[in-house]
Amino acid sequence: MDQASQLRNIIKAQSSPTGTPARVITVTSGKGGVGKSNMAINLAIQFRKKGQRVIILDADFGLANIEIMFGAVPKHNLSDLIYQNKNIRDIITWGPMEVGFISGGSGIAGLSNLSREYLIYIIKNLQELDTIADVIIIDTGAGISGAVLEFLVASGEVILVTTPEPTSITDSYSLLKALLRHPRFREEDTKVKMAANRVDHISEGQILYNKLNTVVSRYLKLNLSYLGAIPQDSQLNQAVMQQLPVSLKSPNAKSSVAFEKMAANLMNQSENQTFNKRGMAAFFSHIIRNRKDVQDNAF
């Protein structure tokens, strides 16, 4: 059996204690500074409060927003799994409420240069995440770089964080346009949901969605759904300054209540709809398909 066949079999055999792979949710934005990392970590906390096991993968290269908000510096990152023979449990940092955190570092970019033997080793380790977590939240970089688009294409669910700023709306549209042009994007495999952030009133979130969805529907023909809104909140700002998720520091703050509702919406969608739960092994295998030799072997 060749290496590509082995990898296909590994991915097909992935399983968790419940017999299903983890739910992978990718949080992204068209521009920086819109509160994307805050969205990722507070949704993770709210999922934990609802009994879900959660791991965050920080794929925002060059920035350390998640670890800053965790108030902890990870000893290892994904590069150590690839190059230092660490296993997947070695590189997880446990934060508040036992939310797991993995720093991507430069390891994700390095995946495209590995031999098939090493890829199989990495995929086997990533497969173990499905036994550790029910939900894996990926915090990408902002913008329309090739690396960001690869994450979005590989994910079954994408949360697009947008604020009322005109530049944020324009950049969100540009990101969706670039995503649709990606050769491996399939709308039936990737559901995109817009989350409004920093709105003056919750109702403003629906208005913001309507603005973006009008042009997306007309020119891109993409089915963009609305997830909810997070209002401007001084208590959230105070929590960020203290390197704490507002969902823990001030659980009754209006932003915390909004994060709780958004997480509940996501869980209700999971119960009422069938999502493509690929798990982390299949997620990363999807990313590395852009390697020519991998494509040639159709794995």
Side-chain angles (χ1 to χ4, degrees), residues 199-218:
V199 295
D200 290 331
H201 305 283
I202 292 295
S203 59
E204 186 183 357
Q206 184 70 52
I207 296 171
L208 176 58
Y209 164 75
N210 291 341
K211 286 182 180 178
L212 180 60
N213 190 50
T214 296
V215 292
V216 168
S217 298
R218 178 179 299 175

Side-chain angles (χ1 to χ4, degrees), residues 9 13 33 93 140 161 170-171 178 188 220 222 250 257 272 287 289:
N9 291 337
T93 300
T140 75
V161 183
T170 301
D171 290 339
E188 60 268 30
L220 302 182
L222 177 69
S250 305
V257 173
N272 299 327
I287 289 175
R289 284 179 189 170

Side-chain angles (χ1 to χ4, degrees), residues 121-274:
Y121 167 75
I122 299 303
I123 294 298
K124 282 182 176 178
N125 270 274
L126 291 171
Q127 174 189 330
E128 191 173 349
L129 285 178
D130 290 337
T131 71
I132 300 172
D134 302 302
V135 179
I136 298 170
I137 298 176
I138 298 177
D139 182 26
T140 75
I144 57 175
S145 69
V148 170
L149 293 176
E150 288 295 334
F151 279 108
L152 304 187
V153 170
S155 182
E157 297 176 76
V158 172
I159 297 177
L160 175 62
V161 183
T162 307
T163 70
E165 296 178 10
T167 53
S168 177
I169 300 172
T170 301
D171 290 339
S172 290
Y173 177 83
S174 297
L175 176 60
L176 294 176
K177 185 177 180 180
L179 179 60
L180 278 172
R181 289 179 173 177
H182 193 284
R184 288 188 287 108
F185 174 76
R186 297 178 60 190
E187 187 175 350
E188 60 268 30
D189 291 338
T190 302
K191 305 303 179 185
V192 184
K193 308 158 188 180
M194 195 210 82
N197 196 28
R198 298 176 184 163
V199 295
D200 290 331
H201 305 283
I202 292 295
S203 59
E204 186 183 357
Q206 184 70 52
I207 296 171
L208 176 58
Y209 164 75
N210 291 341
K211 286 182 180 178
L212 180 60
N213 190 50
T214 296
V215 292
V216 168
S217 298
R218 178 179 299 175
Y219 298 109
L220 302 182
K221 312 299 182 186
L222 177 69
N223 182 22
L224 177 67
S225 61
Y226 179 55
L227 184 59
I230 309 298
Q232 293 274 16
D233 186 1
S234 60
Q235 292 188 70
L236 188 152
N237 297 332
Q238 293 169 13
V240 170
M241 294 300 293
Q242 296 179 31
Q243 295 180 239
L244 290 170
V246 69
S247 294
L248 283 181
K249 181 180 182 298
S250 305
N252 295 319
K254 58 183 180 180
S255 57
S256 298
V257 173
F259 281 122
E260 181 181 9
K261 184 176 180 180
M262 194 173 287
N265 287 342
L266 286 165
M267 289 191 67
N268 289 337
Q269 290 171 7
S270 179
E271 292 173 359
N272 299 327
Q273 302 176 29
T274 300

Side-chain angles (χ1 to χ4, degrees), residues 1-13 114-121 123-124 281 285-286 288-289 291-299:
M1 181 183 295
D2 62 21
Q3 300 290 352
S5 297
Q6 291 180 43
L7 187 51
R8 282 195 298 270
N9 291 337
I10 290 168
I11 294 168
K12 289 178 181 177
L114 299 178
S115 67
R116 288 191 183 88
E117 291 86 351
Y118 242 95
L119 286 174
I120 290 171
Y121 167 75
I123 294 298
K124 282 182 176 178
S285 75
H286 199 284
I288 60 179
R289 284 179 189 170
R291 280 183 45 175
K292 184 179 185 300
D293 59 338
V294 172
Q295 289 177 324
D296 290 344
N297 283 280
F299 93 83

Side-chain angles (χ1 to χ4, degrees), residues 24-29 34-41 55-61 63-67 69 101-102 104 108 136-142 148 151-152 159 161 283:
V24 179
I25 302 173
T26 300
V27 182
T28 194
S29 63
V34 299
K36 174 175 53 61
S37 297
N38 234 321
M39 181 77 65
I41 197 168
I55 289 178
I56 301 174
L57 172 62
D58 188 354
D60 193 349
F61 309 131
L63 298 176
N65 292 338
I66 299 294
E67 62 188 70
M69 293 177 68
F101 161 62
I102 297 176
I108 297 169
I136 298 170
I137 298 176
I138 298 177
D139 182 26
T140 75
V148 170
F151 279 108
L152 304 187
I159 297 177
V161 183
F283 179 90

